[in-house]
C-alpha cells in the first residue's frame, strides 16, 4: 500500500462541509509526506503542519458534539472572539494548514499530469517549484523564500520520490501515479472546500512570515 492511500480522505457530502473528526484523522498522517522530499528544509513545512493540526485538534476536543464540521469550529471562534478573529486558534491554524495541503495537492497533481523537465525527466524540481510558487511563496518573506530555493535544488529524483511514496516498495511508475490520482479524488475537493469556506467567511489573511 502507498503512503497516501493508507489513510485516504473521505468523500465530501453534497453541502461540502468537512467533517472535523474525519479530516483530523486523515490529515494527521500527512506530515510524513515531507520526509519523502528529503531536504531538511522541508521539515519547516512538516513542523508547521504538525503544529497546526495539533491546534485544530485541541480546539475540536473542547466540544466534539458542537464542532462536527470545520465550519462549525470557525463560526464558533468568530462569535466568541469577534475582536481578534480570524487571527485566533483553530481559524488561524487551519488557514496555514490548508496552504500546506495545497502545496501537496499541486505537487501531486503536477506529477499525475506528467509535467516534467524535458532536459531532466527524472527530476521533480519543476513539480515542487510549481507547488511552492502557487501555494506558499506569496506568504513567505525574503529569507524564507531563499531557504526554500535551496531546498528546491536538493529535491530528490522522480524515481526515488515515487519509491518513497510507495513506502520503499518496487512499484512501477504508472502504478504509483495511479495511486496518487486515487488519493487526489477526495483530497483535492476537500482542500478546495476549505479554501471556499475561508472565502465565504472572509477569513483569509495575506501577511507574510
Amino acid at each position: 500500500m502507498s503512503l497516501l492511500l493508507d489513510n485516504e480522505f473521505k468523500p465530501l457530502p453534497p453541502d461540502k462541509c468537512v467533517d472535523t473528526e474525519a479530516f483530523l484523522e486523515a490529515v494527521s498522517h500527512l506530515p510524513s509526506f515531507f520526509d519523502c522530499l528529503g531536504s531538511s528544509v522541508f521539515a519547516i513545512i512538516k513542523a508547521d503542519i504538525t503544529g497546526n493540526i495539533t491546534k485544530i485538534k485541541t480546539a475540536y476536543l473542547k466540544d466534539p458534539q458542537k464542532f462536527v464540521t470545520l465550519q462549525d469550529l470557525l463560526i464558533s471562534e468568530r462569535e466568541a472572539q469577534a475582536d481578534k478573529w480570524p487571527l485566533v486558534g483553530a481559524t488561524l491554524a487551519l488557514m496555514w494548514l490548508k496552504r500546506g495541503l495545497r502545496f501537496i495537492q499541486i505537487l501531486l497533481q503536477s506529477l499525475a499530469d506528467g509535467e516534467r523537465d524535458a532536459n531532466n525527466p527524472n527530476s521533480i524540481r519543476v513539480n515542487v517549484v510549481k507547488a511552492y510558487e502557487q501555494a506558499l511563496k506569496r506568504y513567505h518573506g525574503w529569507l524564507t523564500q531563499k531557504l526554500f530555493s535551496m531546498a528546491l535544488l536538493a529535491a530528490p529524483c522522480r524515481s526515488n520520490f515515487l519509491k518513497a511514496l510507495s513506502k520503499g516498495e518496487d512499484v512501477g511508475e504508472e502504478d504509483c501515479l495511479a495511486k496518487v490520482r486515487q488519493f487526489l479524488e477526495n483530497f483535492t475537493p476537500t482542500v478546495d472546500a476549505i479554501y471556499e469556506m475561508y472565502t465565504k467567511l472572509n477569513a483569509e489573511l495575506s501577511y507574510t512570515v
Side-chain angles (χ1 to χ4, degrees):
M1 185 62 78
S2 74
L3 181 150
L4 297 173
L5 293 186
D6 282 349
N7 300 280
E8 285 191 82
F9 283 67
K10 292 186 176 181
L12 288 178
D15 62 7
K16 295 185 179 181
C17 287
V18 181
D19 180 273
T20 309
E21 183 178 18
F23 172 77
L24 287 171
E25 171 58 29
V27 82
S28 67
H29 301 279
L30 280 182
S32 59
F33 171 87
F34 293 95
D35 295 332
C36 300
L37 291 170
S39 173
S40 59
V41 177
F42 287 105
I44 298 172
I45 305 180
K46 179 181 178 180
D48 186 61
I49 283 181
T50 302
N52 286 323
I53 292 170
T54 299
K55 291 175 184 176
I56 298 166
K57 185 174 183 179
T58 298
Y60 165 69
L61 290 177
K62 290 179 180 178
D63 195 342
Q65 293 184 331
K66 181 178 180 181
F67 305 137
V68 175
T69 69
L70 293 177
Q71 186 175 24
D72 294 333
L73 189 51
L74 266 62
I75 290 176
S76 177
E77 286 192 341
R78 183 178 64 179
E79 293 173 347
Q81 303 181 66
D83 58 327
K84 298 179 180 179
W85 193 87
L87 278 168
V88 295
T91 303
L92 184 61
L94 183 59
M95 184 187 73
W96 282 103
L97 175 59
K98 68 179 175 56
R99 294 168 182 170
L101 301 184
R102 181 68 90 195
F103 174 89
I104 295 173
Q105 181 249 316
I106 295 172
L107 172 53
L108 292 177
Q109 189 64 61
S110 180
L111 285 167
D113 291 343
E115 296 180 349
R116 296 178 186 245
D117 182 343
N119 297 318
N120 191 1
N122 195 35
S123 170
I124 64 166
R125 187 171 182 273
V126 65
N127 315 104
V128 178
V129 168
K130 179 179 182 178
Y132 179 68
E133 289 186 345
Q134 294 189 13
L136 294 170
K137 186 176 181 179
R138 77 190 74 174
Y139 307 111
H140 286 167
W142 178 84
L143 180 58
T144 306
Q145 288 186 24
K146 287 297 181 182
L147 286 172
F148 276 92
S149 294
M150 294 167 56
L152 299 180
L153 293 173
C157 66
R158 182 186 180 91
S159 55
N160 285 346
F161 178 68
L162 294 179
K163 185 173 183 178
L165 286 183
S166 300
K167 299 171 71 174
E169 297 179 9
D170 290 322
V171 178
E173 179 174 312
E174 283 308 312
D175 288 341
C176 183
L177 291 177
K179 290 181 172 63
V180 167
R181 295 185 186 99
Q182 182 180 338
F183 173 77
L184 289 171
E185 286 180 5
N186 291 333
F187 182 64
T188 297
T190 299
V191 176
D192 288 346
I194 295 172
Y195 268 82
E196 291 171 11
M197 176 178 66
Y198 270 72
T199 298
K200 290 178 180 177
L201 294 176
N202 196 27
E204 190 65 66
L205 300 173
S206 59
Y207 66 90
T208 60
V209 296

